[in-house]
Each structure stands twice: as structure tokens, then as C-alpha cells.
Amino acid sequence: MKITYYGQNTLALKIGEFHIIVDPFITGNDLAKDKVNIKELKADYILLTHAHQDHILDAEAIAKNTSAVIVSNYEIAMHYQAKGFDVHPMNHGGSWQFAFGNVKYVNAVHTSSFPDGTYGGQPGGFVIEGEHKNIYIAGDTALTMDMKLIPLRTKLDLAILPIGDNFTMGIDDAITASDFVECNKVLGVHYDTFGYIEIDHQEAKRKFYDADKDLMLLDIGEAIEL
């Protein structure tokens, strides 16, 4: 499994022969827009954690270019189905065996509305079991006790957690979240994009190190393999 970071909560996953884009927000991100050409991105599926603009901005353009299936909560899926896109609706606690692996839609504590203010369903995260590696994409969320349910079902190889604070968990809560999901290998997301969520990288890494955990902060376009 290969994971490439494109800023904010945008990820490209390559699982076997399949390409998955998560929460595409590139053209509106000053940190990413000149480094990533969305027309060159490959996608068989697009996973959306919720409807906020900094998670869906480029979903339509990428789906038009790739014919990707948009996977999200029921309300978001129906929003895009009405526009003619192929979708797969999910809801909290449900799982589905996709071609690339099993996906479970799990709880997140946040809000969810489209840029025009219309209802975007309830936010969520994804637990993906694919290619003998398991990852948790938390999406935008507060620290929640529901995270303790995840390791009861799935042993994680990587937890992808928001760390920017203000709108989501910050560093200290993300450390606790990694305890809850029983995964000490963490990829930090949702930081630095706006002034509200700028972080001190060295302090963040030090806090995770002191807790005997590994925090990865990738450059835009940088990838890791599990």
C-alpha cells in the first residue's frame, strides 16, 4: 500500500492496482496548488469524509476526469449522484467489500455542510483493510471514545489523524487517539493550511517521540509505503 500526501486531508492511496483519492482539496490550497496537477491524478474511487470545502473542492473535477466512484455518507453520495456521478453511499458502522479491500465508515465528531450551507450528512472516517495492511483515516474529528472500538475489530498498521487543533484534535489529543486505536505509527494531516491550524513541527514530533510514538509529517507530494 502506497500513501501520498497532497496537503490538508488529501491523500492518494494505491492499493494493489487500484487508485483511491481521499478528500481532494488541492486547487484551493496555496500550499499544494502549484505542486500538484489534479488532471494527472489517477482515481478509481474518491473517498469523502464530510462535505466541507477543504475536503471536497476538487472531487467533481477529478471524478469527471477519471470516472471514479465517489464513496461517502448517504447525503453526500446522493448530492453527487444527482449531478450524474457514480457513487457508493455508506453510513456509520457499515462496511463494504470494494475491489481494493474492505471499508468501514466510522464515527467522527465534527460538522458537515456543503460550501453553500446545505446539509452534508454526518461526518465520518474510514477504516480500510487492503493488501494485508490496515489504515484508519480519521477525517476531521475531535478525540472520541468511539475510537476505542476500532482495534476491537481491526489491528491497524497506520493511523491518519488530524493534528492542527482549533477545528479538530490537536497534538495532545492525537497522541491519546493513537492510544485509543492502539497504533503508534501516525501520519499527521489537517495542519498548516490556514493560520488557525499552523503547528510547530518539531514540538509535535517531540511530543509523539516522548510518548514512544512515530509521527510522520510529509511534504506535499511525498509518499510512504506500508
Side-chain angles (χ1 to χ4, degrees):
M1 183 184 298
K2 181 178 180 180
I3 302 170
T4 306
Y5 177 64
Y6 288 132
Q8 191 64 340
N9 202 60
T10 307
L11 304 163
L13 313 178
K14 188 174 186 299
I15 304 177
E17 63 187 59
F18 296 97
H19 296 268
I20 301 100
I21 298 290
V22 179
D23 286 352
F25 175 70
I26 295 169
T27 59
N29 182 354
D30 289 339
L31 300 178
K33 64 183 181 181
D34 295 326
K35 298 179 181 179
V36 184
N37 183 350
I38 65 170
K39 294 181 179 179
E40 295 178 354
L41 296 179
K42 297 178 180 179
D44 300 296
Y45 298 89
I46 298 171
L47 272 55
L48 303 177
T49 60
H50 64 293
H52 285 162
Q53 184 180 45
D54 60 321
H55 293 256
I56 68 163
L57 180 64
D58 298 312
E60 289 190 29
I62 294 171
K64 285 178 182 177
N65 188 50
T66 62
S67 299
V69 176
I70 296 174
V71 180
S72 193
N73 67 37
Y74 180 82
E75 288 79 7
I76 292 175
M78 293 303 99
H79 170 86
Y80 287 110
Q81 185 179 76
K83 293 188 172 192
F85 294 99
D86 290 332
V87 304
H88 183 103
M90 299 191 74
N91 221 320
H92 299 88
S95 332
W96 188 262
Q97 185 67 39
F98 291 92
F100 60 86
N102 187 271
V103 175
K104 187 175 183 70
Y105 190 67
V106 296
N107 288 345
V109 176
H110 196 61
T111 56
S112 179
S113 58
F114 287 97
D116 65 2
T118 57
Y119 181 55
Q122 295 298 307
F126 297 101
V127 176
I128 301 174
E129 300 177 354
E131 205 179 42
H132 310 296
K133 298 293 181 180
N134 304 324
I135 65 174
Y136 168 45
I137 302 171
D140 284 10
T141 186
L143 177 67
T144 168
M145 294 294 284
D146 287 337
M147 294 172 178
K148 288 192 171 186
L149 297 173
I150 291 172
L152 297 181
R153 178 180 184 270
T154 304
K155 180 174 176 54
L156 297 174
D157 297 287
L158 179 70
I160 301 173
L161 304 177
I163 58 172
D165 217 340
N166 194 71
F167 296 114
T168 67
M169 296 187 294
I171 297 299
D172 294 336
D173 280 354
I175 290 171
T176 303
S178 70
D179 286 335
F180 283 5
V181 301
E182 298 180 11
C183 183
N184 291 330
K185 189 171 185 178
V186 174
L187 174 61
V189 294
H190 210 274
Y191 64 93
D192 284 357
T193 314
F194 317 112
Y196 288 120
I197 60 173
E198 291 178 354
I199 67 167
D200 183 325
H201 290 212
Q202 294 307 313
E203 181 185 20
K205 290 181 178 180
R206 177 187 59 78
K207 285 188 172 184
F208 270 80
Y209 179 82
D210 289 347
D212 293 323
K213 300 175 187 296
D214 177 22
L215 173 66
M216 292 174 286
L217 301 178
L218 301 181
D219 293 330
I220 289 172
E222 187 176 0
I224 59 171
E225 295 205 28
L226 298 180

